[in-house]
Amino acid sequence: MLTLEIVQLYPASATARRVSGLGKVISTSDAGKTLSGQRVYFSAHRRISVPPKPSGQYLVKGVLEIVPRPTEASGFNAYLYSQGIRQQITRAHLVRETAPPGPWASFCAQAEKRLERVLSHGLDAHAAVRSIYLAMLLGEKAVLSTEQENAFLPSGTFHVFSISGLHVGVIAMALHSVGVMLRAPRRLAMVITVVLLWLYVQVTGASTPAQRALLMIACLLTSRTFHLPGNALAALAASALITLLLDPLQLFSTGFQMSYSVVVALILMGAPLGERWLERWQ
């Protein structure tokens, strides 16, 4: 038995039997003192567990195991290894809450509920549209029906319901467009865009891909707005450096490697091809 602080919860459907995520060990029995402060993966029975909340602390009973060494570069175990996680708690039972979530986590939860009400306004008679809307913009997969999950899974497009760089990029473009239409000062528009984008990432769970995309966009907007030396590649390199300073283990993450590889390819090939296309079109 140990006390676990919830670091991240993985979205699950309403019918899922388990709730899972990442947690930080706060305290353990004398036999497990070496675990204190370490991050672990947990999978708990939803029916017998209290509903967990991010940054809340819970008394947990379960089976402590070593994460199996991944045999391939892909897979969930490879993801856990890339995050530096070597221990997991399976068949867990969240007995009770020992400490409530902090003020910031409570604010994010209230803000998310507020966004839910705003996005659901006028859609009470259209449950299917409402659930797609909430899942796509807020990452709430639990609101999707079984039929909707079965419609997206075979096509390989279910990932659109996980908040990632795609969502952050679209929101950033929308905020930037609003600033341009209102003719707001460039620096003021940039600051407002980055702040609102940061709030969106925090409210939707602050997933690693979303935070990575936020850093990319913030560095790019800052370099362009304040006319700093460098170009898009320099801004991208700066965001990668900040990301690795905050979490060096991301260097070994497939998501980190693919994200920056794709963006570098877009900068080196997409931008010149776009300019060439415009020249030929004229």
Side-chain angles (χ1 to χ4, degrees):
M1 186 175 293
L2 52 81
T3 302
L4 196 69
E5 179 182 356
I6 305 299
V7 176
Q8 181 181 356
L9 287 173
Y10 295 139
S13 64
T15 58
R17 296 181 179 180
R18 297 182 178 275
V19 58
S20 61
L22 302 180
K24 179 181 178 182
V25 178
I26 302 299
S27 62
T28 63
S29 60
D30 293 338
K33 283 186 176 180
T34 56
L35 283 176
S36 296
Q38 293 190 23
R39 291 200 306 167
V40 298
Y41 166 76
F42 70 91
S43 175
H45 295 281
R46 172 175 280 176
R47 184 176 58 84
I48 61 175
S49 298
V50 297
K53 301 175 184 177
S55 84
Q57 296 182 13
Y58 299 87
L59 189 66
V60 181
K61 293 175 63 178
V63 179
L64 183 64
E65 301 175 344
I66 296 176
V67 176
R69 183 177 294 275
T71 56
E72 300 178 358
S74 60
F76 188 67
N77 289 341
Y79 164 76
L80 293 179
Y81 259 70
S82 69
Q83 297 296 313
I85 296 172
R86 300 293 184 269
Q87 305 283 344
Q88 62 181 355
I89 305 173
T90 60
R91 290 178 280 175
H93 170 205
L94 303 180
V95 181
R96 59 183 173 84
E97 185 181 73
T98 59
W104 177 247
S106 300
F107 168 79
C108 289
Q110 293 298 323
E112 184 178 17
K113 291 180 181 179
R114 173 63 178 168
L115 285 176
E116 286 181 15
R117 292 193 294 268
V118 171
L119 295 174
S120 302
H121 182 71
L123 295 176
D124 294 336
H126 306 280
V129 176
R130 175 181 176 274
S131 59
I132 291 287
Y133 206 21
L134 293 178
M136 190 170 292
L137 288 177
L138 298 180
E140 296 184 3
K141 300 178 184 178
V143 300
L144 295 173
S145 64
T146 304
E147 292 76 13
Q148 289 172 325
E149 291 184 3
N150 293 335
F152 282 90
L153 282 172
S155 62
T157 55
F158 197 71
H159 65 276
V160 299
F161 301 121
S162 297
I163 303 299
S164 60
L166 173 65
H167 300 73
V168 177
V170 170
I171 298 297
M173 185 179 297
L175 292 173
H176 179 70
S177 300
V178 170
V180 172
M181 288 189 294
L182 295 178
R183 301 196 177 196
R186 290 185 62 186
R187 295 188 178 185
L188 177 62
M190 186 278 296
V191 172
I192 293 176
T193 296
V194 172
V195 170
L196 291 179
L197 202 60
W198 176 76
L199 284 173
Y200 172 75
V201 170
Q202 297 301 314
V203 168
T204 54
S207 66
T208 300
Q211 295 187 73
R212 194 160 51 229
L214 171 62
L215 277 173
M216 290 184 189
I217 294 170
C219 289
L220 182 61
L221 290 179
T222 301
S223 65
R224 288 185 173 181
T225 303
F226 292 93
H227 305 290
L228 298 177
N231 51 25
L233 278 178
L236 187 66
S239 70
L241 177 61
I242 296 173
T243 299
L244 293 177
L245 287 175
L246 294 174
D247 186 4
L249 289 174
Q250 282 206 41
L251 179 62
F252 308 101
S253 168
T254 304
F256 175 88
Q257 297 167 4
M258 291 186 63
S259 295
Y260 280 94
S261 298
V262 170
V263 177
V264 167
L266 289 175
I267 293 174
L268 294 179
M269 294 186 291
L273 285 175
E275 293 174 359
R276 181 64 175 169
W277 169 261
L278 290 177
E279 291 176 0
R280 297 295 297 273
W281 178 259
Q282 292 175 356

